[in-house]
Amino acid sequence: MTLPFRHSLTASMTIALLAGCGAGPSSQRAAETAAAQARLASAVAEAARPSASQPAPVSITAPVVDDTTARMLAYAERVRLMQPPELNQEIARLGDAASPGAQLQLSLALSQLRQLPELVRAQELLARVLGNGEARALHPLARLLASRYGEQRRLEEQLEKQNQQLRDVQRRLDQTNERLEALKAIERSLTSRQPAAAASAPANNRARPAAP
């Protein structure tokens, strides 16, 4: 029973007792009215009491992030903001990355270079982390990164293929331009020879003696 209902019930019972101590019909009617109010207050309080069949309220809490994962996410944000020279220094600092944590960090740093060979190496490092049974705390993040790197590698390979096709087209275009320039040079040489041949013909005619 809650405190307001308890106070209401106590007050109603007090009124009923005081009314019962009085004399006369009016006092009796007042006592009956007070008793009815007390019974009403008791019924309201009983209805407000939680039932045993009602489920207890469920406490919703935010998921707990492991400290190791939180540190890795903070490191990922830090290397994301690095410039290529800083990334190269960080990659050199990590070196061979013997521990799973260092391997995951090196993988994150390599992925920021956005070059296909480094991305392949980053995937290999993630595979080593996932194959280490003692690094289970890093496995969820490593699987997430492996999926992301797979998609990134697919895009990088597609971009590399398009760049190769563009280089091939440019090479064929350069070869065509070279042939065209060679043909133009031949045409210029033929054009320059024709006036020279035409100018030498009258001179030869003047030098030839007249027939008797």
Side-chain angles (χ1 to χ4, degrees):
M1 185 182 298
T2 58
L3 186 59
F5 288 124
R6 186 181 294 114
H7 287 170
S8 177
L9 180 59
T10 303
S12 299
M13 293 176 65
T14 303
I15 294 172
L17 291 175
L18 292 175
C21 294
S26 58
S27 298
Q28 185 177 358
R29 286 195 299 270
E32 292 175 355
T33 303
Q37 292 176 351
R39 287 193 299 270
L40 179 60
S42 178
V44 172
E46 186 66 23
R49 183 179 303 171
S51 175
S53 61
Q54 294 179 352
V58 179
S59 177
I60 301 175
T61 56
V64 179
V65 179
D66 185 75
D67 290 342
T68 304
T69 303
R71 288 196 297 269
M72 285 298 170
L73 292 175
Y75 179 82
E77 180 64 17
R78 184 161 64 89
V79 297
R80 186 183 68 85
L81 301 176
M82 288 183 179
Q83 298 298 321
E86 297 175 311
L87 282 172
N88 290 327
Q89 292 178 359
E90 181 66 13
I91 291 170
R93 182 187 70 82
L94 292 170
D96 294 335
S99 66
Q103 291 169 359
L104 191 56
Q105 287 181 338
L106 181 57
S107 175
L108 288 167
L110 288 170
S111 68
Q112 294 300 319
L113 292 176
R114 306 188 184 281
Q115 297 179 5
L116 188 56
E118 280 71 16
L119 188 58
V120 172
R121 186 184 173 191
Q123 287 181 307
E124 294 174 351
L125 289 168
L126 288 181
R128 292 169 61 183
V129 174
L130 291 172
N132 191 337
E134 298 179 356
R136 290 187 180 90
L138 297 174
H139 285 183
L141 180 58
R143 283 192 293 268
L144 178 64
L145 291 175
S147 176
R148 174 177 173 271
Y149 291 172
E151 181 66 18
Q152 184 177 349
R153 180 175 177 178
R154 185 184 68 80
L155 295 176
E156 292 290 344
E157 289 176 346
Q158 183 178 359
L159 180 61
E160 179 63 25
K161 184 178 180 180
Q162 291 176 352
N163 289 336
Q164 182 61 42
Q165 292 175 350
L166 181 61
R167 287 192 292 268
D168 292 341
V169 171
Q170 184 64 42
R171 178 175 55 82
R172 289 194 293 268
L173 182 60
D174 293 340
Q175 292 175 351
T176 302
N177 289 333
E178 290 175 359
R179 294 191 185 100
L180 183 59
E181 290 297 329
L183 291 174
K184 288 181 179 180
I186 294 172
E187 183 181 2
R188 286 193 296 269
S189 65
L190 292 175
T191 304
S192 61
R193 288 176 185 176
Q194 290 177 356
S200 62
N204 292 334
N205 292 332
R206 287 192 299 270
R208 183 181 304 170

